[in-house]
């Protein structure tokens, strides 16, 4: 098999070389000399904040426009992305501060939970982003530098992009471009202390006042905290940006004269267009069909499109619907349009899993375009990821309910512009097993209808759903209708009381994951946490974050009744002693993560001693400098 792989790879790159843009070495050298001359002739840039036409401006973000998640509440400023607007609040201090911006997760812990979704095939290795935020600045400039002020556990930033759209304009252009200023791999700084991250950025051919910062906190040992983002730039286009070297680009296979549609810098030729198809197949037509299918199954979506332009045989393989049973469009969010979806339709007849998260914002994808695609390709869908898709509306949700009767997983996280009445259509998806409504406007009536009809639910995320008035009613309905529930996220669900939690524990005995972080209305003195531990012996994750009433008796009951615990968060309690914590660690051999930050009886010395006794457990204790 390996000789076949090598042979196909050689043929593939020969085709690429024949179709790449031509550019002579003399032209490239000439352009390089022009750039060098421009560098010598250009003087130093004006001072920061200079008023001259050539002066460099320093700007803090004026407004936070969009983001994928945050640790804080929708009704306050603590630990929210909105803290990134304006000048720094904390920098150069280090530590855990409420005035900073903090994302919802960190490390690899969340990927190990029962609620984690299966990864998608064909995700490019270069795509690392798991969260993002978008910021608007006052004045468009040609960027010369972008500085991110990180105040705790730096290293999460993996990509910085700039947009050609001025978000404050009254007449937005039809052609909106995103360009990468800098990209890198996930990393971890040597220390958790603050730093000013200022990577070397690329030159832009357009001015910008809209930046997007993408992060991946997977390697970090705790939550990363950002304090401010600075955009430096000049009003007039620099000389360096005027020169473009005509380098050979192996990613561009277009002939410049067709009607192909781009996705992720790759062009899709129209179906049946023979001018892209060479007739000579070499020996590839002698290989078994299944073998070639297996080989091309390892290619990313842009690579499939490139290979499809090499010859008729490989076009047949690359357009086979079997190659598109799983389709992740999230890595190509900046390039995806209605036309892209239309050209994908003939290939997606067997589509089962679709990840369109982050796509289509600012008009690139419309509700009509998405609905048209779904009506053709959605009949077999079992998983649909639509996190942060702001083109969604009630009509979109109605089409999802009508065309995807077998849908088992639906993610609407941070679709905070989707109106409350749209969620009533979710109740028609009676086969749902996993539903994510984090940071949405779902209201109690629609949610109760969903729970009434979607009785097969196993994973439900209601974190930061602030429009639900009475979580006790929701908990009672879950206990009656959703007895197969395995994971439940009630992060910052403020109205849940001991009564609702007690009914939930009795009715949903299969729960393995329960997040009650920042549910301040729950009081340990009622015995609710001890009752919870007795009723849920399968628990693997239990977050009681910021509940100051958690005490030794609660941990003792967890140690006695929940031996499978892996992740525990008791941040902020004043009532837990070192001896109870040690007992929990001894009784739960599968423990991997315990957060005791701001637990007044658990100091740094205790953490160090317990860490030496239990080296396989990550015991977290944040600090404030």
């Amino acid at each position: 098999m390996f000789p076949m792989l090598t042979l196909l790879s050689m043929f593939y790159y020969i085709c690429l070389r024949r179709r790449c843009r031509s550019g002579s070495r003399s032209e490239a050298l000439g352009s390089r000399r022009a750039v060098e001359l421009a560098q010598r002739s250009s003087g130093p840039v004006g001072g920061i904040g200079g008023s001259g036409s050539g002066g460099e401006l320093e700007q803090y973000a004026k407004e936070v426009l969009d983001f994928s998640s945050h640790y804080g509440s929708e009704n306050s400023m603590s630990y929210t992305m909105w803290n990134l607007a304006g000048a720094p609040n904390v920098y150069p201090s280090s530590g855990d501060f409420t005035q900073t911006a903090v994302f919802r997760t960190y490390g690899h812990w969340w990927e190990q939970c029962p609620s984690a979704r299966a990864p998608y095939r064909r995700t490019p290795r270069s795509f690392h982003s798991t969260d993002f935020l978008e910021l608007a600045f006052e004045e468009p400039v040609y960027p010369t530098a972008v500085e991110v002020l990180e105040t705790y556990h730096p290293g999460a930033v993996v990509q910085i992009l700039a947009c050609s759209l001025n978000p404050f304009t009254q007449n937005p252009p039809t052609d909106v471009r995103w360009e990468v200023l800098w990209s890198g791999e996930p990393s971890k700084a040597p220390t958790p202390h603050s730093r000013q991250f200022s990577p070397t950025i690329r030159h832009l051919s357009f001015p910008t006042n809209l930046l997007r910062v993408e992060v991946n906190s997977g390697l970090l040992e705790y939550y990363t905290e950002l304090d401010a983002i600075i955009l430096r730039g000049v009003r007039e286009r620099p000389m360096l940006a005027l020169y473009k070297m005509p380098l050979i680009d192996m990613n561009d296979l277009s002939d410049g004269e067709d009607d192909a549609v781009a996705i992720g810098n790759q062009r899709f030729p129209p179906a049946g267009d023979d001018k892209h198809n060479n007739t000579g197949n070499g020996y590839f037509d002698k290989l078994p069909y299944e073998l070639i299918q297996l080989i091309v199954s390892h290619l990313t979506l842009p690579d499939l499109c490139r290979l499809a332009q090499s010859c008729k045989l490989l076009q047949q393989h690359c357009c086979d619907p079997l190659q598109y049973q799983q389709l992740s469009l999230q890595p190509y969010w900046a390039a995806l349009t209605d036309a892209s979806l239309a050209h994908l339709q003939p290939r997606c007849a067997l589509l089962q899993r679709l990840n369109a998260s982050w796509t289509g914002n600012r008009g690139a994808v419309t509700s009509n375009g998405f609905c048209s695609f779904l009506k053709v390709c959605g009949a077999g869908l079992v998983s649909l990821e639509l996190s942060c898709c702001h083109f969604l509306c009630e009509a979109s949700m109605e089409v999802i309910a009508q065309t995807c009767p077998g849908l088992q997983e639906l993610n609407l996280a941070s679709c905070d512009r989707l109106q409350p009445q749209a969620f009533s259509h979710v109740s028609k998806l009676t086969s749902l097993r996993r539903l994510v409504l984090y940071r949405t406007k779902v209201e109690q009536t629609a949610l109760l209808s969903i729970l009434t009809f979607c009785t097969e639910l196993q994973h439900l995320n209601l974190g930061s759903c602030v429009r639900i008035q009475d979580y006790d009613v929701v908990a009672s309905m879950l206990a009656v209708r959703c007895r197969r529930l395995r994971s439940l996220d009630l992060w910052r669900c403020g109205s849940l009381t001991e009564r609702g939690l007690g009914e939930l524990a009795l009715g949903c005995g299969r729960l393995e994951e329960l997040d009650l972080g920042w549910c301040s209305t729950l009081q340990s003195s009622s015995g609710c946490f001890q009752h919870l531990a007795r009723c849920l012996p399968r628990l693997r994750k239990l977050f009681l974050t910021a509940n100051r009433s958690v005490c030794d008796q609660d941990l003792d009951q967890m140690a006695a009744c929940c031996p499978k615990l892996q992740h525990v968060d008791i941040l902020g309690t004043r009532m837990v002693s070192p001896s109870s914590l040690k007992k929990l660690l001894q009784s739960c051999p599968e423990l991997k993560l315990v957060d005791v930050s701001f637990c007044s009886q658990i100091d740094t010395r205790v953490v160090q001693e317990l860490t030496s006794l239990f080296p396989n457990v990550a015991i977290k204790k944040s600090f404030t400098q």
Side-chain angles (χ1 to χ4, degrees):
M1 178 176 175
F2 290 104
M4 292 297 181
L5 283 169
T6 305
L7 186 61
L8 182 57
S9 300
M10 292 174 60
F11 178 74
Y12 173 36
Y13 283 107
I14 289 172
C15 295
L16 295 184
R17 292 182 61 85
R18 291 180 61 185
R19 287 180 173 270
C20 68
R21 283 182 179 173
S22 60
S24 67
R25 178 176 176 82
S26 61
E27 291 173 338
L29 290 174
S31 295
R32 186 174 287 110
R33 291 192 188 100
V35 172
E36 292 171 353
L37 288 173
Q39 288 176 324
R40 296 191 189 103
S41 62
S42 60
V45 180
I48 295 177
S51 58
S53 60
E56 186 180 52
L57 299 178
E58 177 189 75
Q59 302 182 77
Y60 294 104
K62 179 180 180 180
E63 185 179 347
V64 178
L65 300 179
D66 196 12
F67 54 89
S68 55
S69 75
H70 60 183
Y71 186 91
S73 167
E74 302 303 294
N75 300 322
S76 74
M77 291 294 291
S78 298
Y79 296 122
T80 64
M81 289 298 127
W82 300 305
N83 285 319
L84 284 172
N89 301 305
V90 173
Y91 187 84
S93 297
S94 301
D96 192 341
F97 290 92
T98 61
Q99 304 97 317
T100 58
V102 185
F103 290 99
R104 179 68 184 85
T105 63
Y106 71 94
H108 57 275
W109 316 110
W110 277 258
E111 298 174 359
Q112 300 173 347
C113 294
S115 60
R117 67 166 173 82
Y120 276 74
R121 297 200 312 261
R122 300 190 188 281
T123 301
R125 293 183 179 180
S126 59
F127 181 74
H128 307 292
S129 307
T130 56
D131 274 298
F132 76 89
L133 61 97
E134 293 181 2
L135 307 106
F137 296 80
E138 182 70 33
E139 185 173 346
V141 294
Y142 292 93
T144 56
V146 175
E147 299 171 1
V148 183
L149 305 185
E150 303 172 280
T151 55
Y152 199 37
H153 287 277
V157 178
V158 294
Q159 190 158 245
I160 302 174
L161 303 98
C163 186
S164 61
L165 171 70
N166 183 341
F168 304 120
T169 186
Q170 298 298 321
N171 300 307
T174 55
D175 181 25
V176 177
R177 295 168 52 199
W178 284 94
E179 296 286 345
V180 176
L181 292 176
W182 172 86
S183 64
E185 295 185 356
S187 62
K188 181 178 70 172
T191 70
H193 299 285
S194 64
R195 75 172 185 182
Q196 180 174 297
F197 179 60
S198 182
T200 302
I201 63 173
R202 301 169 183 168
H203 294 285
L204 288 182
S205 59
F206 56 82
T208 185
N209 62 337
L210 173 55
L211 294 184
R212 178 179 173 116
V213 177
E214 296 184 352
V215 304
N216 183 320
S217 305
L219 297 181
L220 302 186
E221 296 181 358
Y222 205 61
Y223 297 98
T224 188
E225 299 191 7
L226 310 180
D227 193 18
I229 294 179
I230 303 171
L231 171 62
R232 299 179 187 272
V234 293
R235 295 185 179 93
E236 293 185 357
R237 189 175 182 180
M239 290 295 294
L240 283 174
L242 295 175
Y243 293 93
K244 294 278 187 178
M245 289 188 295
L247 300 179
I248 297 176
D249 185 3
M250 296 297 290
N251 293 324
D252 188 357
L253 307 181
S254 65
D255 292 328
E257 57 183 10
D258 54 60
D259 298 324
V261 176
I263 293 182
N265 296 326
Q266 181 51 45
R267 299 166 68 84
F268 284 80
D273 189 355
D274 290 338
K275 69 181 179 180
H276 292 278
N277 303 325
N278 298 328
T279 56
N281 299 327
Y283 293 98
F284 288 98
D285 52 1
K286 300 184 183 299
L287 295 177
Y289 191 90
E290 294 79 6
L291 177 58
I292 302 180
Q293 282 285 290
L294 176 62
I295 294 172
V296 300
S297 69
H298 294 282
L299 299 177
T300 63
L301 182 60
D303 287 339
L304 271 181
C305 304
R306 296 184 184 107
L307 192 59
Q309 298 180 59
S310 58
C311 69
K312 287 184 177 181
L313 174 67
L314 293 178
Q315 184 191 46
Q316 179 185 0
H317 283 280
C318 293
C319 297
D320 191 318
L322 288 173
Q323 295 293 334
Y324 298 86
Q325 291 179 308
Q326 294 188 31
L327 185 61
S328 180
L329 300 175
Q330 183 179 5
Y332 318 107
W333 62 266
L336 196 74
T337 64
D338 282 349
S340 307
L341 290 177
H343 278 74
L344 280 171
Q345 281 183 16
R347 311 176 185 211
C348 297
L350 302 178
L351 185 63
Q352 296 180 5
R353 300 182 68 209
L354 174 63
N355 180 9
S357 294
W358 302 3
T359 63
N361 297 335
R362 296 184 176 83
V365 173
T366 64
S367 176
N368 289 336
F370 174 74
C371 291
S372 297
F373 175 82
L374 216 57
K375 289 175 182 178
V376 175
C377 308
L381 273 179
V382 295
S383 178
L384 182 57
E385 303 279 337
L386 297 172
S387 173
C388 302
C389 289
H390 300 312
F391 61 83
L392 291 175
C393 63
E394 184 176 4
S396 310
M397 298 306 299
E398 185 176 6
V399 169
I400 292 173
Q402 291 174 350
T403 60
C404 308
L407 198 64
Q408 298 179 12
E409 299 183 355
L410 178 61
N411 183 358
L412 298 173
S414 291
C415 292
D416 53 345
R417 300 172 200 178
L418 190 59
Q419 295 305 305
Q421 61 271 19
F423 294 94
S424 61
H425 298 285
V426 178
S427 62
K428 303 170 187 176
L429 299 168
T430 56
S431 299
L432 278 180
R433 306 287 195 276
R434 176 174 172 265
L435 177 61
V436 181
L437 298 176
Y438 168 73
R439 287 191 66 238
T440 62
K441 294 179 179 178
V442 62
E443 294 181 344
Q444 186 161 316
T445 302
L447 180 59
L448 293 178
S449 177
I450 293 170
L451 300 182
T452 299
F453 294 101
C454 301
T455 58
E456 302 296 318
L457 276 175
Q458 296 182 16
H459 305 285
L460 179 62
N461 188 331
L462 299 175
S464 295
C465 292
V466 297
R467 296 205 174 199
I468 299 173
Q469 297 88 7
D470 191 344
Y471 272 96
D472 281 349
V473 175
V474 174
S476 299
M477 181 66 77
L478 283 168
V480 174
R481 303 293 297 175
C482 302
R483 292 181 172 270
R484 300 182 182 181
L485 206 62
R486 295 179 55 206
S487 73
L488 178 61
D489 192 331
L490 297 177
W491 178 261
R492 294 189 180 273
C493 299
S495 62
L496 183 67
T497 68
E498 296 81 5
R499 179 180 64 83
L501 184 60
E503 294 183 23
L504 178 70
L506 287 173
C508 300
R510 298 185 182 184
L511 272 173
E512 301 175 38
E513 177 182 349
L514 181 59
D515 194 331
L516 300 173
W518 296 87
C519 294
S520 56
T521 51
L522 296 172
Q523 293 298 316
S524 173
S525 58
S526 67
C528 62
F529 298 136
Q530 297 177 48
H531 178 257
L532 183 76
R534 288 192 295 269
C535 294
L536 303 177
R538 301 185 183 186
L539 272 181
R540 295 165 54 189
K541 172 183 174 180
L542 179 60
F543 274 29
L544 302 175
T545 315
N547 192 305
R548 299 183 183 277
S549 68
V550 175
C551 62
D552 284 349
Q553 289 76 17
D554 299 323
L555 261 67
D556 290 345
Q557 201 64 241
M558 294 178 205
C561 303
C562 305
K564 296 183 179 181
L565 274 175
Q566 297 180 3
H567 305 148
V568 175
D569 188 338
I570 54 172
L571 176 149
T573 181
R574 302 171 180 174
M575 312 292 289
V576 171
S577 65
S579 59
S580 291
L581 179 58
K582 183 177 180 180
K583 183 178 180 180
L584 180 70
L585 291 165
Q586 291 172 332
S587 304
C588 302
E590 298 181 28
L591 268 175
K592 299 177 181 178
L593 171 68
V594 178
D595 194 337
V596 294
S597 300
F598 302 107
C599 293
S600 55
Q601 295 190 48
I602 313 295
D603 57 25
T604 303
R605 179 186 58 82
V606 172
V607 170
Q608 291 174 346
E609 292 177 356
L610 292 176
T611 299
S612 63
L613 292 174
F614 304 95
N616 295 326
V617 184
I619 305 176
K620 304 298 181 181
K621 178 77 173 177
S622 65
F623 71 88
T624 300
Q625 191 180 64

